[in-house]
Amino acid sequence: MQHAYRIVVASSPELLPQGGDLWDSGVVESTAASVLYAGQPLVAGLRCYWAVSVWTSKGEGQASEPSFWEMGPLSEQDWDGTWLAAESDADQLARQVPPIWLAGEIGPDASREFNVTWVITQAGPVRLIVATKGVLQRIAVDGKVLPVEPWSVIAFGGPPAYTFDLKLEAGPHEITAVVAQRPHPLSLSEVAIAAHLTDSVVPSIDLSADRWQTRAGQDAAWRPAASAAEQTDFPWPPGPARLLRRTFDVPAGLVRACVHVAALGGCVLRLNGTRVGDAELQGEPADYRVHVPYRTYDVTAQLTEGKNAIGALIGDGFYASYLAPTGRYSFGAAPRRLRIALVMQFADGSTRQVTGDHDWTGRSAHLLRSEIYAGEHWDLRQEPIGWDSPDFDDADWDPVGAAEAPAGPLVAALAPPVRAIVSVAPVSLRLVGTSRYLIDFGQNFAGRVRVRISGEAGQTITVRHSEILDDEGELDVSNLRIANATDTYVLRDDQTTVVEPSFTYHGFRYAEVTGPAQLNMTDVVGVVLSSDLPQTGRFETSDPIIQRLWENTLWSQRSNFVGIPTDCPQRDERLGWTGDAQVFWDTASYNMDVAAFTRSFAREMRGAQEVNGAFPMWAPQAALWHPLAGSPLPGWADAGVELPYVAYLHTADRTIVDENWDAMTAYLDGILASNPDGVWRNGRGLDLGDWLSFDAVEPMDETTPRDLIGTAMLARSLDRMAVMANWTDRHAEAARWRNEADTVAAAFGRTFVQDDGTVGNGSHTSYILALRLGLVPELLREKAGALLAANVRSRGTMLTTGFLGTPLALDALADVGEVELAYSLLLRREYPSWGYMIERGATTIWERWNGDTADIAMNSFNHYALGAVCAFLYRRVAGIEPLEPGFARFSIAPLTDARLTSASGGYDSVRGRIESSWERDSDQTVHTLRIPVGSEAEVRLPGRVIDTTTLAYDRATGVSTGLLGSGTYHFKTRVS
């Protein structure tokens, strides 16, 4: 065991042996594995070297080799230069006269007609951009109907803006449009339209409100249109990306160089012809009105003495792309922007910066459209070869202007970036016709397709994506809603070219490549994109279905941990739903090191927190899309407490608690103020209940009493607060929160638990929440557990739970001694079950138990929520469960079952590797345990231990127990 430590921090390695000039903790008697810096104030650009010494029962170990961290910019004052605008002159002019929204109530046919006239002075091209609130049913110019690409009314967000490129003669012209009400459940009593016009003479034609007319039905009279009461931003359609560049000189004596970069939009940075870093999809999702994350890259090796060039490709990215349900530019207005600071340090101690200034030039890129959901369109013929090299001639490029700073301050990104973490090779490639290829990667994932193409100049290559195939063996994109998920490339020449998107990603297993005359399997690669979080857990078992369940869950976590924890990677959603995260975070924290990722997402949740303390339904959240969305949603808003709790339990890094303490307090105070009797009846927001439970006919059906669910969630969050307060030495607050938790728990028992042990309306989720969260009075637990087990068996050993009940179901049964029943559910193959998904070819977790037959409007095949059961595999099958933060003390208590011959779990804790495995051998079970230095394990093995006194056998319980320190242990047990 560790008995003491000493940490030394210095501004140079040479000062470390002398005790450092920044911090010397001294010798601290402690077993802590996570320690906060407590030295001198640190400034931007400072490189801090550190080393640690540890004392154990075997004496003092030698000091570690020095390591270092470097301080980035800490405030706006640490950034020179300004934001650069990534837009054309035409875009800038168009934005200066924003379109006006015209509104009107719907008529008898649930639609409204709008009309406007204008005059052009010179024949030529005209661009018309139209946006609606409601469905654009029909649009005509001078009586000629224009083609409108169908928009799916089941889309989660509103319709996109439509762009029409026309050729018109000089003279008067007329636009007539019909806008229809969107069908239930997102219908509006009125609809609206806004339009932007430009021609070869006027960059923004006057379409002010007094020029519009409207009517409700063709038999009604035209009358002047009225401006909409709410003039929201116009959803400009996606346009070409921009190339920005400048040159600069590097004097002799360069020692170190790093570049800090932030973007409102997608950004790929290049230096002297090579890419900077390997981060993808930058900048990541954030509420840029609250904060703008920046990242830092070491570019010392990419610079040379003399003339250098830095360049950036700026696309729409997360900032400017369509975002459900609020549209484009949801977190701030155009234009796309770049902020950069290239800091160089020289041998003489001097520094120099290259920043946003008047020396930058720009032009439209060969990336003509980049949009997260729609995909990308590249015309490689338009690429200026060598645009990122020092000697490139940019005399005909445009000056780049300064842009207004966003509302949010620049802050360092907290989590590892999104990267290409692995490649997937196709398992089959099928030629259809002469130049269309259907590819099966054998695995559903989030990412992109990289294709090596041999074609002709001007040839178009199209890549489409889907999770499933239809009955004809073609791509089935019906569950993507309005996510077009299509990438196209126009080839530059007849040379072999490798093509791949930059600022988009898709969720898919299958791809269709159209265009090449010949394509081999070796020409195609699936590139998996995910936040680059180290994998910390592994699980192996003898049952192939359970093994595949764990693997599918890991794939769904990879697919949905993309900057934020999304609900799905394929359709027009991909939002950071807090309920999905809340139920999954226990599993997520076993699978991967999510500590920094948790801090990052918690920052987004705080940024979207309401004044009443409510955490959002998803984060980042651009606007309240529903009147009830400003109140806390039970099971979703609780993520604001649950995620910090789980993260601290796994890591013992109190930063996550400290950063969120005030926000968690405000959240719980808000609920308690509205529900003084301890039952959460009031202010439950857009209450989804036990979402997608098996018994629900419609998703919003109340299969479990919603006030029961809310009260159970409140009780758990209050309990978590009391525990976290004790962990972080907030003892007065701990007493307060413990009292609140006890009050709510008692109220739950009085209100929802009957004397015969019945809980709520008798639904599985009623029992599971009450039992697992300790809300059933002790004298009634056995009765309640028996009623739950009997009901599960009466349904054919089947669960009826949804999003909130499923993650806790198997634990609740195991807690009341129904281990065999829990295993039966885990091993079940019939619908509904995890095995049902897998036997039907699932390689990731489905959103619904019946994903293969469910409504396509909400039918994701890559949704991690139901995979939350994998925490049970770690905690109860392998038996590894933390009892104190950072696994300082944990239990190893596997629950075995005769239907499994073996199981093995491993977890890389902050203190080291933990392992627990068991294998049946005839009438005995062989256990192997590994406990890291600095930890203690409370061991409980089923059966009597053979040939050892290390563990004591308890005949009453039938288990062998003991407290073990670090080391590797082997035991054999036999059930008496």
Side-chain angles (χ1 to χ4, degrees), residues 585-586 589-590 645-652 882 885-887 907 909-910:
W585 223 247
D586 193 14
S589 299
Y590 276 109
Y645 170 83
V646 173
Y648 186 74
L649 178 60
H650 274 257
T651 66
F887 287 80
Y907 175 69
S909 76
V910 294

Side-chain angles (χ1 to χ4, degrees), residues 389-437:
S389 62
D391 297 328
F392 180 79
D393 183 2
D394 60 2
D396 59 346
W397 285 35
D398 304 321
V400 174
E404 183 180 358
L410 288 157
V411 296
L414 293 174
V418 176
R419 291 190 174 100
I421 61 169
V422 71
S423 297
V424 178
V427 297
S428 70
L429 183 148
R430 174 165 55 95
L431 175 63
V432 181
T434 58
S435 61
R436 186 164 64 93
Y437 301 83

Side-chain angles (χ1 to χ4, degrees), residues 873-928:
L873 302 181
Y874 284 107
R875 284 187 284 98
R876 311 306 281 266
V877 179
I880 302 169
E881 181 170 17
L883 301 176
E884 294 179 4
F887 287 80
R889 180 177 289 241
F890 60 94
S891 67
I892 297 182
L895 301 177
T896 61
D897 187 275
R899 288 164 288 183
L900 265 63
T901 58
S902 66
S904 175
Y907 175 69
D908 291 324
S909 76
V910 294
R911 295 171 180 266
R913 184 74 172 171
I914 298 171
E915 293 180 357
S916 171
S917 66
W918 54 267
E919 184 174 0
R920 291 185 177 277
D921 180 14
S922 184
D923 63 341
Q924 63 186 21
T925 303
V926 178
H927 298 265
T928 300

